[in-house]
Amino acid sequence: MSGAVVYIAQVRTMDPQRPAASAFAVAGERIVAVGSLDEVRAAVPDAEREVILDGVVLPGLIDAHMHMQRAGLKAIDYLDEADDVERYITAMRESFDDDGPEHPPFADRIAGLVRVQPLLHALGFTGVIDPAVRVEEMRGYQEAHRQGALTMRTLAMPYLEIGSPETPDVDAAIEQLGGTGVSTGFGDDVLRIGPIKVYLDGEALKGEALLEAPWDDSGYHGLQRLSDEDFTRLVAWCSAHGWGVGTHAVGSAAIALVAAVYEAQGAAVLDRRFQFIHAYLEPSDEAIASAARSGAIASLQPSIIWHNGAGLRAKLGDRAETANPVRRWLDAGATVAFGSDGPFFAFDPRHLIWQAVTRHVADEELPLSDAESITVEEGLVAYTTAAAFAALAENERGMIREGRLADWALWSADPAAVPLDELRRLAVRRTDVGGTTVHLQENT
C-alpha cells in the first residue's frame, strides 16, 4: 500500500480478538494492518518505510469527562510558554479553587485550546468528552475545528442550565433543543454533538447528593434539582427526538430515579449513549442492575473520590468506604467509562487508574474499602474501548485494529505489566491522532 508506514513495537491493542501484536501499519488516517511483523509486511508489501518504536503502543486514551475548553483558559492563566504537562498538573492542583474566567474573550477560547491540547496529548489522550458545553464553548470548539486547530477528538455535550434566566424550566429546555435542527451524533470524527447534560442532584461535599438514607439524624436526604415529573418528561422528549441524556446523579436516590426513567426509554438509551454522570454515593445493587440493563454508560471519575474521600469519611463515616463502586458497576455488566472532571480535579490517567486499583484518597493513610477496587487492565478498558463507546466512536477508536483511526500513544512500558508503584512514573513518548504526530517527547 503506497505511503504506508510500518511501526514495529510491542502493542497492547485493547482488541479482545487479538490483544497483543508486534507491528502495525498506518496509511493516511487509518490503521491498515495489525499483527506479527511478517503478517504486517505481507499486508503492506510496498510500505514507504519501517519505524522501530522504543516502548509499548496503546490506543489513544479518551477522557470521558473533561472540561477541555476551561482547561485551556486555565492553562493560559497559570502557565508560561515553556511549561510542560508536569508543571500543568501541579498548577491545576495549586489552583484547585479557581474555576477560571467566567466570560473570557472569544479569542482566548481558541488560544486556550491550542495551549492545552499538546499538554493532554503528552498524557496519551487523543479524545475527550466535554460534559457541559454552553453556547459560547460550542462556538469555540466549532471555530477551532474550522481553523484546523482542534487536534483532540471532541464529543461536546450541550448544557442548558434549567432554572437560569435563559432556560427557566424544562419546557424552555425542550423548546431550545427542538429549535437547533440537530441532535446527538451530529458532526464528524473531530467534533461531534453528544447527549445533553442535566443535573438531578448536587455536590456530595456540600451535602447536596440525593440519598435514599438521610445524611444525618436530621432526616435530610439531599437536593433534588428537577422534580420526578419534569425529569421524566425531559428524558422522554429527548428519547423521542434524537437526543441522548447525561444526568448528573451523585446520590443513591438520584441514581435510582435515573435508572428507572432510563430503563423505560428502550433502545434510545443504548443508541444515543445515555449516561449516569458521577453515580458514586451509595447506589443500590438494584439501581446498578437496572442501569446496566438499560445500556446506559456509567461515566465515573476516580479523581473525585481521590479529592473528596477524606471529606466524605468525615460526613458519612463507614458509609463512605464504598464510594465510587466501580467494581459493582463492572460486575453488573455496565459499560464504565473513566473521566476526570478536569482540570478542576486530577486528570492524569496514570494516577487515576492507580487510584481505582488502590482506592487511596488524598490526605488519608488508609484507602477506601478494596471491595470496589479494579485491575489496571480494567482501568485501561475504561479509558479506551469503553470511553470510545461513550463517545459514539466504538467502530473508529479505542483499539489498535485494522480499519480504525490511527490514534495511538507510545508508552515507556506497558501500564498493565509494570509494578503498580511504577505506573504513575511511566512516560508517554509519542502520541498520534489520525496518523499525525501531536506529541513527541524530547530525545525520542
Side-chain angles (χ1 to χ4, degrees):
M1 184 175 295
S2 179
V5 179
V6 173
Y7 294 101
I8 303 167
Q10 179 185 341
V11 183
R12 178 179 280 274
T13 67
M14 303 307 296
D15 182 350
Q17 296 179 15
R18 187 166 197 165
S22 54
F24 66 105
V26 173
E29 295 186 345
R30 299 277 171 177
I31 298 166
V32 294
V34 182
S36 69
L37 180 54
D38 287 344
E39 289 171 329
V40 172
R41 282 173 171 165
V44 287
D46 55 350
E48 182 178 286
R49 67 185 191 278
E50 293 185 355
V51 178
I52 298 174
L53 299 173
D54 180 16
V56 178
V57 170
L58 278 80
L61 305 184
I62 300 165
D63 189 316
H65 195 96
M66 160 62 78
H67 301 275
M68 186 169 66
Q69 210 164 127
R70 287 193 271 171
L73 292 168
K74 288 197 69 176
I76 291 175
D77 284 346
Y78 286 94
L79 296 186
D80 293 329
E81 184 177 346
D83 285 340
D84 63 8
V85 66
E86 297 300 333
R87 175 58 200 152
Y88 183 55
I89 289 169
T90 300
M92 295 303 96
R93 182 173 63 247
E94 292 173 346
S95 63
F96 183 80
D97 294 324
D98 180 7
D99 289 342
E102 188 172 352
H103 299 293
F106 185 74
D108 282 2
R109 296 188 178 280
I110 314 305
L113 286 170
V114 170
R115 182 67 180 96
V116 80
Q117 287 175 117
L119 302 172
L120 299 177
H121 291 318
L123 294 172
F125 287 114
T126 58
V128 301
I129 298 174
D130 190 324
V133 178
R134 299 174 187 268
V135 171
E136 284 303 302
E137 289 173 311
M138 188 67 79
R139 289 175 178 153
Y141 282 127
Q142 184 178 12
E143 178 60 18
H145 187 17
R146 188 192 68 80
Q147 293 181 17
L150 194 60
T151 60
M152 189 75 72
R153 301 191 193 277
T154 302
L155 186 81
M157 296 177 62
Y159 175 51
L160 304 176
E161 187 177 359
I162 298 172
S164 68
E166 297 78 16
T167 313
D169 53 27
V170 165
D171 289 327
I174 289 172
E175 182 178 357
Q176 290 174 44
L177 290 170
T180 63
V182 298
S183 60
T184 297
F186 180 80
D188 58 25
D189 289 333
V190 176
L191 179 61
R192 192 175 301 279
I193 293 177
I196 69 164
K197 164 76 169 288
V198 63
Y199 280 83
L200 187 56
D201 64 357
E203 298 177 32
L205 280 192
K206 294 180 179 179
E208 296 172 343
L210 188 64
L211 297 176
E212 292 172 317
W215 276 88
D216 50 36
D217 293 341
S218 71
Y220 172 71
H221 286 262
L223 172 69
Q224 183 167 349
R225 292 191 174 189
L226 290 177
S227 69
D228 291 17
E229 179 185 359
D230 279 350
F231 178 69
T232 301
R233 188 157 54 88
L234 176 61
V235 172
W237 184 91
C238 288
S239 298
H241 292 84
W243 285 99
V245 180
T247 305
H248 170 115
V250 173
S252 55
I255 296 164
L257 174 58
V258 176
V261 174
Y262 278 8
E263 195 168 10
Q265 305 310 311
V269 174
L270 182 65
D271 292 346
R272 297 183 205 125
R273 308 302 191 265
F274 283 44
Q275 294 183 15
F276 288 78
I277 297 175
H278 307 317
Y280 65 77
L281 202 52
E282 300 184 327
S284 68
D285 289 342
E286 293 78 11
I288 290 177
S290 172
R293 286 194 302 270
S294 75
I297 309 293
S299 179
L300 309 182
Q301 300 79 39
S303 50
I304 294 179
I305 301 306
W306 168 255
H307 286 280
N308 291 355
L312 290 173
R313 271 180 167 157
K315 283 181 173 290
L316 293 171
D318 290 343
R319 292 170 62 185
E321 292 303 309
T322 57
N324 205 29
V326 184
R327 176 81 273 144
R328 280 200 293 143
W329 279 104
L330 288 172
D331 288 349
T335 297
V336 172
F338 271 177
S340 63
D341 216 352
F344 312 111
F345 290 89
F347 50 87
D348 183 341
R350 302 165 298 180
H351 176 69
L352 298 188
I353 292 174
W354 173 87
Q355 193 285 328
V357 174
T358 66
R359 302 276 293 167
H360 278 292
V361 296
D363 303 320
E364 295 275 288
E365 283 191 22
L366 292 177
L368 299 176
S369 169
D370 63 5
E372 297 295 349
S373 67
I374 65 169
T375 66
V376 173
E377 290 87 345
E378 289 168 328
L380 290 172
V381 169
Y383 269 118
T384 55
T385 54
F389 186 80
L392 292 161
E394 69 275 13
N395 295 317
E396 297 290 319
R397 296 187 270 148
M399 297 180 190
I400 306 296
R401 178 190 277 184
E402 181 181 346
R404 300 291 174 105
L405 289 163
D407 294 2
W408 55 275
L410 177 67
W411 291 65
S412 56
D414 184 345
V418 300
L420 190 57
D421 288 343
E422 294 182 18
L423 172 60
R424 292 184 293 172
R425 296 193 292 271
L426 296 181
V428 174
R429 293 173 171 166
R430 173 176 171 174
T431 305
D432 277 29
V433 175
T436 298
T437 301
V438 292
H439 161 70
L440 189 64
Q441 190 182 54
E442 291 184 12
N443 304 318
T444 297

